[in-house]
Amino acid sequence: MIRTRIAPSPTGKDVHVGSISTALMNFAWAKKNKGQFIVRIEDTDRTRLVEGGEKKMLETLEEIGLHADESPLVGGPYAPYRQSERLEIYKKHVEGLVKKGSAYYCICSPQRLDEMRKKQQAEKKIPKYDRHCLKNQEEIKKKIARGEKYVVRLLIPDKEISFKDLIRGQITVSGSNLDDQVLLKSDGFPTYHLGVVVDDYLMKITHVIRGEEWLPSTPKHIILYEAFGWSLPAFAHVSLLRNPDKSKLSKRKNPVWTSDYLEKGILPEALLNYLSRKRYFYS
Ligand code: GLU
């Protein structure tokens, strides 16, 4: 069964019109294949949440006709579909990675990380965590047991990471260029990378179709899938919706929220039709 999804973050007043374009591709691919289209809310960045944003987003998707088979509104077998309600799931999974040696605890202070980064920049090196805590894991575990705040980091293997993108072909990056990504934050919330991989796997997503701005994150996701021992979904990174001059849509220059268009009287069907046909506007 083909299962696609969109995973918007409620950090604006509504769904970005570019996200509608990506949602449409996910919806169309699922429906063409008699599959299912899922909406999952990625609300783990608590500092950027916009009050009422999630409700408006779900309503707009319905209004425009991109009905979800599973979502916070309609439920489904893998509920809840809101990441903030799935914290125990991420914690359990990340602890499994620590046990396997694929991730490690880190208690470095923001000040230490800041100094480290400045020093690396001054030396013209790629800013990367220096694995200070990796060497002292037993000691750090004791400190954590005593209540010290911590994050969990992914141990990036020193090898080439390769995957196939359905649109862009084979992509290969060197692990030595990647930072030991934080997976679990000190507030107990997962980062995007942990949440997205765990949920796409558990929710049986077969095709991850998303904007090209997420392409640089995918090698980290591949490492995570491998560390968990999970098979990969298919990946397709689609071009962003752009202005005729190829510049990015920006809140300062363009109406970017879907409701901005609907409130002007543009019919939902007309907007969907436009987004599906205007290939010229894609980079
Ligand atoms: N939460 C991400 C967003 O806001 C999802 C990216 C993805 O589809 O993996 O777009």
Side-chain angles (χ1 to χ4, degrees):
M1 160 86 77
I2 300 284
R3 283 169 62 86
T4 65
R5 54 50 162 194
I6 53 158
S9 298
T11 53
K13 77 163 187 176
D14 187 14
V15 203
H16 193 283
V17 70
S19 305
I20 292 286
S21 154
T22 309
L24 174 61
M25 288 185 227
N26 277 282
F27 181 85
W29 182 244
K31 297 299 148 178
K32 174 182 154 66
N33 291 293
K34 300 201 175 11
Q36 290 167 335
F37 168 64
I38 286 100
V39 177
R40 179 177 71 234
I41 299 292
E42 297 201 335
D43 58 351
T44 55
D45 186 348
R46 310 306 284 171
T47 57
R48 294 180 59 222
L49 288 189
V50 169
E51 176 85 25
E54 177 194 309
K55 185 165 179 281
K56 184 78 184 155
M57 230 153 62
L58 294 171
E59 283 169 3
T60 303
L61 283 166
E62 279 301 306
E63 187 179 350
I64 207 153
L66 299 176
H67 307 296
D69 295 290
E70 295 164 25
S71 78
L73 279 186
V74 293
Y78 309 101
Y81 290 85
R82 203 175 275 120
Q83 288 191 326
S84 58
E85 296 168 9
R86 298 171 61 81
L87 300 188
E88 281 309 310
I89 300 175
Y90 310 121
K91 190 144 194 268
K92 191 182 100 197
H93 279 87
V94 91
E95 277 164 7
L97 289 186
V98 173
K99 281 209 185 86
K100 285 187 191 173
S102 305
Y104 60 95
Y105 298 112
C106 171
I107 54 168
C108 285
S109 65
Q111 291 85 328
R112 181 180 184 277
L113 295 175
D114 201 44
E115 278 161 27
M116 181 197 75
R117 229 172 278 126
K118 282 193 188 128
K119 190 162 171 273
Q120 289 170 336
Q121 274 161 356
E123 291 166 1
K124 305 231 176 321
K125 291 188 181 147
I126 302 175
K128 275 200 316 185
Y129 180 59
D130 60 3
R131 299 192 168 163
H132 177 73
C133 285
L134 180 60
K135 301 157 223 143
N136 313 316
Q137 285 295 286
E138 287 315 312
E139 203 181 301
I140 287 168
K141 277 184 210 160
K142 284 184 204 146
K143 288 189 177 170
I144 293 172
R146 274 184 253 128
E148 187 141 339
K149 282 201 162 217
Y150 67 99
V151 300
V152 178
R153 289 181 183 271
L154 176 63
L155 183 62
I156 300 277
D158 190 13
K159 61 170 194 174
E160 292 212 319
I161 299 123
S162 198
F163 66 97
K164 187 170 168 251
D165 183 271
L166 292 178
I167 300 171
R168 286 148 213 274
Q170 201 67 29
I171 294 181
T172 305
V173 300
S174 163
S176 59
N177 289 331
L178 302 177
D179 194 9
D180 281 358
Q181 177 67 51
V182 172
L183 299 174
L184 194 73
K185 297 183 277 187
S186 59
D187 61 2
F189 280 75
T191 53
Y192 158 66
H193 307 282
L194 177 66
V196 81
V197 168
V198 169
D199 286 346
D200 284 342
Y201 175 75
L202 294 181
M203 294 178 184
K204 298 196 170 14
I205 302 302
T206 58
H207 293 70
V208 172
I209 305 170
R210 63 184 166 204
E212 66 184 349
E213 76 267 38
W214 302 104
L215 194 57
S217 298
T218 310
K220 292 177 185 172
H221 301 175
I222 306 294
I223 296 170
L224 273 172
Y225 278 99
E226 282 178 4
F228 282 122
W230 295 339
S231 55
L232 299 179
F235 290 98
H237 288 86
V238 299
S239 299
L240 299 181
L241 187 65
R242 291 181 188 271
N243 289 310
D245 66 359
K246 301 260 165 105
S247 61
K248 268 191 167 185
L249 294 190
S250 95
K251 281 173 218 163
R252 267 169 288 120
K253 286 190 286 174
N254 313 88
V256 295
W257 305 115
T258 308
S259 49
D260 293 338
Y261 293 88
L262 300 179
E263 280 158 17
K264 281 196 177 109
I266 293 172
L267 296 174
E269 294 84 352
L271 186 59
L272 278 191
N273 185 50
Y274 179 84
L275 291 175
S276 66
R277 295 175 61 86
K278 272 286 174 190
R279 309 308 305 169
Y280 164 72
F281 284 137
Y282 296 90
S283 57

